[in-house]
Amino acid sequence: MVQFKSDVEAVDALKESYQKLTSEIGKVVIGQDETVKMLLTAIFCQGHCLLVGVPGLAKTLLIQTIAGALDLDFNRIQFTPDLMPSDIIGSETLDNERNFRFVKGPIFANIVLADEVNRTPPKTQSALLEAMQEYSVTVAGKKYALDKPFFVLATQNPIEQEGTYPLPEAQLDRFMFMVTLDYPSYQAELDIVKNTTSDKKYKVVQQVSGEEILAYQQLVRRVPIADNVVEYAVTLVHKTRPNTELADAISNKYLEWGAGPRASQNLILAAKCNALLSGKYSPDIEDVKAVAMAVLRHRIVRNFKAEAEGISVENIISKLL
């Protein structure tokens, strides 16, 4: 484990590592600075991330580039309708001496890219549940621990619904963030086209080791936080729960279900990390607001009235903030 003389030194090292990573990733992925920040925040907080965007916005390239900038094992799983749970977690096979031997699946890596995770049935999607929550998998009654750090970075396409299976709420809740990718700006797209239609090759250099990430994850949890900031985060989550004591009027009107306790936990962890990456030593309410959209958007369920009136989840969260 990496050792620092003090937490102040560790905070400075985290910020320096973050700047190195963003600089390295920016060589390949252009115009997605906020998305890169959210993905790295999830990694430093020991969380998982769901990336949602239309085809061609470099979702897969972004995750592969981040994996390349980290000194970690990386596996990509392309989710398809015929994928089976054993294709992800592995299975027991007979060896030459007719003894059962467990053959590890692609889930046994530090970073797992679950590409188009909504293209496979719930039976196979559920193979990720134990891994994401317990950092282990169980096969034939035996538990196998996954190496840490471990992250699932999943992608899905929001517009193509034919042949897709919506992720169950229990699985969505295990993702720390849902990050949406938008189209690049005009200038960013000019740079993208120039870079990708020439013979230039950009090699990503590894900047941060697995031991450093584990140290940063522990550092984030040690960050002090004021009671009023925790109260703000928990109150915000309670506001999303319709027909409860602290429910907001807009939640009672437009929401079927609100966010659970994991939302409050993730708001605080993400706010702590956001503060560190911004050069602060303790988070404030603005740090909570900065991460609230990514933490809450996949944890609240609209009712029919909201869908009929075209009220989006983002509209509701913005009003609550």
Side-chain angles (χ1 to χ4, degrees):
M1 178 68 71
V2 177
Q3 297 291 332
F4 296 103
K5 293 178 182 177
S6 66
D7 282 350
V8 172
E9 182 186 354
V11 170
D12 294 339
L14 170 58
K15 189 176 180 185
E16 184 182 350
S17 294
Y18 170 69
Q19 290 170 344
K20 286 180 181 177
L21 285 169
T22 52
S23 175
E24 200 66 26
I25 294 163
K27 294 177 182 177
V28 178
V29 180
I30 298 167
Q32 298 289 0
D33 296 345
E34 190 60 31
T35 302
V36 170
K37 183 178 182 180
M38 297 310 290
L39 281 169
L40 292 177
T41 298
I43 288 173
F44 293 140
C45 291
Q46 198 177 352
H48 311 288
C49 194
L50 179 61
L51 210 54
V52 180
V54 298
L57 295 185
K59 299 186 295 294
T60 303
L61 176 65
L62 173 57
I63 294 173
Q64 288 176 329
T65 305
I66 289 176
L70 301 171
D71 186 15
L72 299 172
D73 291 332
F74 170 72
N75 280 334
R76 173 185 175 179
I77 307 171
Q78 182 65 52
F79 280 68
T80 56
D82 60 348
L83 198 72
M84 298 297 290
S86 59
D87 296 328
I88 297 173
I89 62 177
S91 59
E92 287 196 324
T93 61
L94 281 171
D95 61 19
N96 293 335
E97 297 174 359
R98 301 190 66 77
N99 295 319
F100 281 106
R101 182 172 63 89
F102 178 61
V103 178
K104 293 180 178 180
I107 195 77
F108 285 86
N110 298 121
I111 298 180
V112 175
L113 166 55
D115 218 353
E116 294 191 294
V117 67
N118 59 331
R119 283 209 169 278
T120 201
K123 176 182 179 181
T124 304
Q125 290 174 359
S126 66
L128 290 172
L129 288 176
E130 183 186 358
M132 292 172 69
Q133 185 64 30
E134 308 295 336
Y135 299 93
S136 64
V137 297
T138 303
V139 179
K142 187 174 180 182
K143 183 173 282 192
Y144 299 88
L146 298 168
D147 290 336
K148 291 184 179 180
F150 172 76
F151 317 103
V152 174
L153 303 178
T155 70
Q156 70 176 28
N157 177 356
I159 59 172
E160 193 174 2
Q161 299 304 321
E162 189 174 344
T164 63
Y165 303 82
L167 270 62
E169 299 303 323
Q171 185 169 353
L172 280 174
D173 197 40
R174 281 169 169 81
F175 286 102
M176 182 177 196
F177 294 147
M178 176 188 278
V179 180
T180 57
L181 265 73
D182 207 349
Y183 292 109
S185 66
Y186 178 78
Q187 186 57 51
E189 191 161 344
L190 277 178
D191 295 337
I192 290 167
V193 172
K194 288 176 182 176
N195 286 358
T196 56
T197 56
S198 69
D199 60 352
K200 288 182 182 177
K201 299 290 183 184
Y202 295 97
K203 182 174 175 57
V204 177
V205 179
Q206 293 176 344
Q207 298 291 337
V208 180
S209 69
E211 286 190 349
E212 288 175 301
I213 291 173
L214 289 173
Y216 295 149
Q217 289 174 348
Q218 293 180 11
L219 171 68
V220 168
R221 290 180 174 271
R222 291 198 303 271
V223 171
I225 184 168
D227 286 345
N228 71 302
V229 181
V230 178
E231 289 164 6
Y232 176 83
V234 175
T235 301
L236 177 61
V237 172
H238 273 258
K239 283 182 177 180
T240 68
R241 300 171 185 170
N243 305 314
T244 59
E245 185 181 355
L246 297 178
D248 192 270
I250 195 170
S251 301
N252 290 331
K253 186 176 182 181
Y254 290 124
L255 292 183
E256 190 79 30
W257 294 100
R262 272 201 195 103
S264 300
Q265 295 168 333
N266 287 330
L267 276 174
I268 295 303
L269 281 174
K272 286 182 175 185
C273 187
N274 191 75
L276 297 183
L277 298 183
S278 303
K280 296 184 288 186
Y281 294 102
S282 181
D284 53 29
I285 288 174
E286 291 306 311
D287 291 300
V288 176
K289 290 181 177 179
V291 299
M293 192 68 75
V295 170
L296 294 175
R297 63 158 54 98
H298 57 300
R299 289 185 163 92
I300 60 178
V301 180
R302 294 177 300 159
N303 59 21
F304 178 77
K305 183 177 179 66
E307 293 185 23
E309 294 184 16
I311 305 296
S312 69
V313 165
E314 286 79 7
N315 293 149
I316 295 168
I317 296 171
S318 296
K319 294 275 176 63
L320 293 175
L321 289 171

